[in-house]
Amino acid sequence: MKLYSYFRSSAAYRVRIALNVKAIDYDTAFINLKQGEQSTPEWLAVNPEGLVPVLEVSTTEKLTQSVAILEWIEETYPQPALLPDSGHERAQVRSMVGQIACDIHPLNNLRTLKYLTGDLHVTEENKLNWYRHWINTGFTAFEKKLVGGLFCFGEQITLADVCLIPQVYNAIRFNVDLTPYPFIEKVYQHCMSLAVFIDASPEQQPDAIL
């Protein structure tokens, strides 16, 4: 199994966490987003979306889109579980995943920010204001779903934590004040004390110097 990744890609970071939780061995191939390797003909032949991650699960099968990859990992390697037992609780966790992956992340990922400063000529200050606005909007809503457990959904690591931790990491990079989000910060601090999260972090990736 091979993961095509970039050290600061939030979406790839999610997949690294899930693979670690499941103790799945995998190789890594790095696509340098900063240098534009995601737009080369060679990479577009692998993934026409021009994005990472891609999980190569066999010589003929490659998976794209991080949430779809996470669901495949959960279905293929069900233990330890990253979704609760009941259908209602699974829907609650998937709702949290959607908040991060669909509502917050797309507005703040690299290609969106590059479009703002490039094509739209937005200033660096206004770009940061944009970033922080959407993080704060999303985190304000997300915080209300947490109840003060060790993880997003009580005492079990779920896909919600897998998606939240990379988003908090990026928020910290962009100097977002987490004080209004004590439950989010508590979950982040706890998760980042665990090896499966630490080993998936951007600083631990071989391409982190890029």
Side-chain angles (χ1 to χ4, degrees):
M1 193 178 299
K2 180 186 291 186
L3 176 66
Y4 292 86
S5 178
Y6 180 64
F7 78 111
R8 278 186 180 160
S9 163
S10 297
Y13 190 174
R14 297 169 193 157
V15 176
R16 294 196 300 264
I17 295 170
L19 291 170
N20 288 352
V21 171
K22 304 285 188 176
I24 300 170
D25 291 329
Y26 66 97
D27 296 321
T28 305
F30 297 107
I31 306 301
N32 192 328
L33 303 185
K34 190 174 181 180
Q35 294 183 5
E37 289 182 359
Q38 70 274 25
S39 300
T40 64
E42 293 79 10
W43 179 245
L44 292 175
V46 175
N47 183 8
E49 300 168 53
L51 301 170
V52 296
V54 169
L55 186 64
E56 184 178 275
V57 298
S58 72
T59 55
T60 60
E61 185 178 9
K62 295 181 178 67
L63 304 176
T64 64
Q65 290 293 331
S66 65
V67 175
I69 294 171
L70 294 176
E71 292 278 0
W72 179 88
I73 291 171
E74 178 70 1
E75 292 172 0
T76 308
Y77 301 88
Q79 296 300 325
L82 284 169
L83 286 170
D85 292 333
S86 78
H88 177 71
E89 290 179 335
R90 286 172 178 249
Q92 289 180 290
V93 169
R94 288 185 168 114
S95 174
M96 292 180 177
V97 168
Q99 280 186 268
I100 299 295
C102 301
D103 294 342
I104 300 175
H105 176 244
L107 291 166
N108 291 310
N109 69 5
L110 178 63
R111 62 179 180 172
T112 299
L113 299 180
K114 287 180 68 175
Y115 181 72
L116 287 172
T117 56
D119 295 59
L120 299 184
H121 308 292
V122 170
T123 66
E124 185 69 16
E125 179 181 1
N126 284 336
K127 181 194 81 171
L128 294 175
N129 289 337
W130 166 282
Y131 185 97
R132 293 166 185 156
H133 170 79
W134 292 115
I135 287 289
N136 286 318
T137 299
F139 278 11
T140 297
F142 198 91
E143 176 79 4
K144 293 175 182 177
K145 288 193 172 182
L146 305 185
V147 294
L150 292 175
F151 301 102
C152 288
F153 201 77
E155 310 308 310
Q156 172 191 359
I157 298 175
T158 67
L159 293 179
D161 306 289
V162 169
C163 290
L164 176 65
I165 296 320
Q167 199 64 64
V168 176
Y169 173 88
N170 278 339
I172 292 171
R173 276 188 61 223
F174 282 84
N175 298 315
V176 174
D177 180 14
L178 297 180
T179 304
Y181 318 113
F183 291 155
I184 289 176
E185 188 165 21
K186 178 183 177 182
V187 169
Y188 180 76
Q189 294 299 333
H190 178 69
C191 287
M192 291 310 298
S193 72
L194 305 176
V196 291
F197 289 91
I198 295 170
D199 293 346
S201 64
E203 290 79 8
Q204 299 302 315
Q205 306 314 302
D207 67 332
I209 61 172
L210 296 177

